[in-house]
Amino acid sequence: MARVISVASGKGGVGKSVVAANLALLLAQRGQQVVLVDLDVGGADAHVLVGLLNPPFTLTDFLNHRIEQLDDLAHPLPIHPNLRIIPGTGDTLATANMSYSQKKRLIRNFQDIRADVIVVDIGAGASYHTLDFFLMADHHVAVATPDPTSVLDLYRFLKLAAIRRVLSLFVMRNVMAEGLANRDYSSVEEVLDVAGKTDESGRAIAETTLRAFQPTLILNRVSGRARVNVLQLRKLLKEYVGGDLTLLGEIPDDPAMEQAVRAYVPVVQHAPSSPASIAINKSADALLQLFSNPLSRAA
């Protein structure tokens, strides 16, 4: 079964889709059969970043049952024989606000995609759909810039993802589901408290689930003047969320990135020796190292 990598961000405009497209191409170049899936529902543009300007079929065709198998949407791309893309939804209100049953069918169909690796470009923000798409993966990649608002939104996103992860676990187990699910939460500690009060083993199960949540981070548009205190961010997540955060890489602020977007091609192909390309290559290698760890798949 394919490894699934979700790429998300707390806010838009941080280069998430660009990072996802470049990682997908680099993994294909390293011998993996890769499918890039655009689940940025209502704002899909990954196909443009890899040169497929007018895809004949999109995720809308799957959601509307015009195509039944998700893998049948995967378009081959001329930039590499190992890379295919499932383009995102069209601009309709129905597909931008998919139903719960559509979401479950979509997630279920991922297991039938023919690939070694599936890179999923997920919309920004923290809606239930976004969080569930992020958490369905084996490896969770968050993208942020050094901008203070981006870092704050990243922390909020990971906190809400951790809460959603615990709630989903208990709903699947049908243990304490009603007591947990019918409440709103502003902190992980609230979830742990309710879990502990509802069942004697609940808090321990929740804490174990949180410890297994170990997202990774790619910082984009990093410059000498704009950096992030990653150690402080890791400390906050450890203290208030319970999981750990691994820095996969830092991509420098590089005009080659924008030039590549305008050329409809990933920067690692457009300008392979640019500082941004070198940095993204290092992040791809770090991801492959995670693949070699038998314990690295999400629980």
Side-chain angles (χ1 to χ4, degrees):
M1 186 178 296
R3 285 181 182 264
V4 180
I5 302 168
S6 56
V7 184
S9 61
K11 63 177 292 185
V14 300
K16 163 189 58 66
S17 295
V18 171
V19 169
N22 279 276
L23 285 176
L25 176 55
L26 287 173
L27 291 172
Q29 291 176 349
R30 284 154 172 76
Q32 304 289 313
Q33 293 292 327
V34 181
V35 174
L36 174 62
V37 182
D38 192 347
L39 290 188
D40 191 345
V41 179
D45 59 7
H47 59 284
V48 176
L49 300 175
V50 292
L52 185 65
L53 302 186
N54 295 295
F57 301 105
T58 71
L59 197 61
T60 300
D61 296 290
F62 174 81
L63 295 176
N64 292 337
H65 290 274
R66 288 191 289 268
I67 291 179
E68 291 297 331
Q69 297 298 318
L70 201 53
D71 189 74
D72 291 339
L73 287 177
H75 298 271
L77 292 170
I79 57 176
H80 201 281
N82 289 350
L83 180 61
R84 298 185 294 157
I85 184 172
I86 295 178
T89 57
D91 298 324
T92 68
L93 284 175
T95 55
N97 298 278
M98 72 173 68
S99 67
Y100 176 79
S101 61
Q102 286 177 315
K103 177 177 68 175
K104 296 301 289 184
R105 174 173 169 254
L106 177 59
I107 292 175
R108 188 169 60 247
N109 257 262
F110 265 74
Q111 65 185 2
D112 297 323
I113 295 177
R114 295 177 292 108
D116 300 317
V117 179
I118 302 170
V119 178
V120 187
D121 177 15
I122 296 168
S127 69
Y128 283 160
H129 287 342
T130 299
L131 293 173
D132 288 343
F133 291 148
F134 183 65
L135 293 170
M136 74 176 179
D138 301 298
H139 306 280
H140 314 104
V141 179
V143 178
T145 67
D147 181 80
T149 59
S150 175
V151 176
L152 180 59
D153 285 333
L154 169 70
Y155 173 74
R156 288 173 175 160
F157 175 79
L158 292 177
K159 181 187 73 173
L160 292 174
I163 291 173
R164 185 72 172 170
R165 181 180 170 95
V166 173
L167 294 177
S168 298
L169 171 73
F170 285 116
V171 168
M172 284 189 300
R173 290 165 54 95
N174 290 321
V175 178
M176 309 182 304
E178 184 175 352
L180 280 171
N182 294 334
R183 290 187 49 170
D184 192 17
Y185 302 91
S186 60
S187 72
V188 174
E189 186 60 33
E190 284 184 62
V191 181
L192 296 176
D193 283 345
V194 173
K197 292 174 182 175
T198 311
D199 183 276
E200 61 181 23
S201 64
R203 187 179 181 97
I205 294 172
E207 288 175 341
T208 300
T209 301
L210 289 174
R211 283 194 297 271
F213 180 49
Q214 299 188 358
T216 58
L217 170 65
I218 293 179
L219 290 171
N220 192 23
R221 301 181 195 141
V222 175
S223 68
R225 294 172 298 174
R227 305 192 72 84
V228 172
N229 189 334
V230 177
L231 289 177
Q232 180 64 21
L233 184 58
R234 288 185 67 183
K235 181 180 178 182
L236 281 173
L237 286 169
K238 194 77 170 179
E239 184 175 353
Y240 294 107
V241 176
D244 200 3
L245 181 73
T246 300
L247 180 64
L248 275 186
E250 296 180 282
I251 304 171
D253 195 5
D254 185 349
M257 291 281 271
E258 184 176 348
Q259 294 164 7
V261 171
R262 294 180 183 274
Y264 309 115
V265 66
V267 70
V268 296
Q269 179 169 328
H270 181 73
S273 61
S274 65
S277 293
I278 293 170
I280 301 172
N281 267 278
K282 291 179 180 178
S283 295
D285 289 336
L287 264 177
L288 284 176
Q289 284 189 331
L290 289 179
F291 290 1
S292 65
N293 181 355
L295 300 178
S296 66
R297 281 186 182 256

